[in-house]
Amino acid sequence: MRVVVVNGSPRADGNTNKAMELIIQAAKSKTHTLEINRYHLDALSLKGCQGCMMCKEPGVKMCIIEDDGQALLRDMFEADAWILGTPVYMGHITGQMKLLLDRTYGYLAPGFVLKLPAGKRGVAVITQGRREPDAYRNVIEFFSSMFERRQFASGECMVVTGTDGRACGDIAFASEVLATASAAGEALTGS
Ligand SMILES: Cc1cc2nc3c(=O)[nH]c(=O)nc-3n(C[C@H](O)[C@H](O)[C@H](O)COP(=O)(O)O)c2cc1C
């Protein structure tokens, strides 16, 4: 099973990355056949969608912008599962994650016909300072509807709350985080 892991936080090994690694560990305990490809968006040269509409031309499979997004979007096209992680910034996903996800518009042919193979599995990891798990329903709905519209077989959101004031990495030891990561790992592998 091929899994693409995308860290949308500028912090390479912050809370978001820690939470995603816990999911990977949980998934690995379910299946030994995981191939993991990790990407840190902030370290990539990634342009936003230019609205060129070349992705709607016949025979074009995805976004044509020639930057680091090409390899990542190709990997996402072919992978069986995605783990997408972002901290909440100003009430939404980070700019880095938005740049990438706008470019998944290229997976759609005219009339919103999906070119992306259906049936992938997805987990969105959302970390936030606020303690209320539903403080950012907009972010949960954003990912849930993206998974649904891309015809994923399953699309879960893991919300990690109250990260502010904790040392970076402390979340890895919080029991509630371990439990939700374990459930997310199961959802990812379907076992
Ligand atoms: C610029 C900035 C904006 C933030 N905005 C919010 C916010 O709107 N709501 C919230 O709950 N936390 C907010 N936070 C806190 C982060 O979401 C939280 O600390 C997150 O776990 C950081 O993840 P990281 O360690 O992977 O970077 C913000 C942090 C930064 C740096």
Side-chain angles (χ1 to χ4, degrees), residues 9 11 14-16 87-91 127-130 136 163-164:
S9 169
R11 303 204 295 183
N15 300 312
T16 309
V88 172
Y89 270 15
M90 306 302 287
T127 74
Q128 62 191 51
R130 291 267 302 267
Y136 300 104
T163 59
D164 286 348

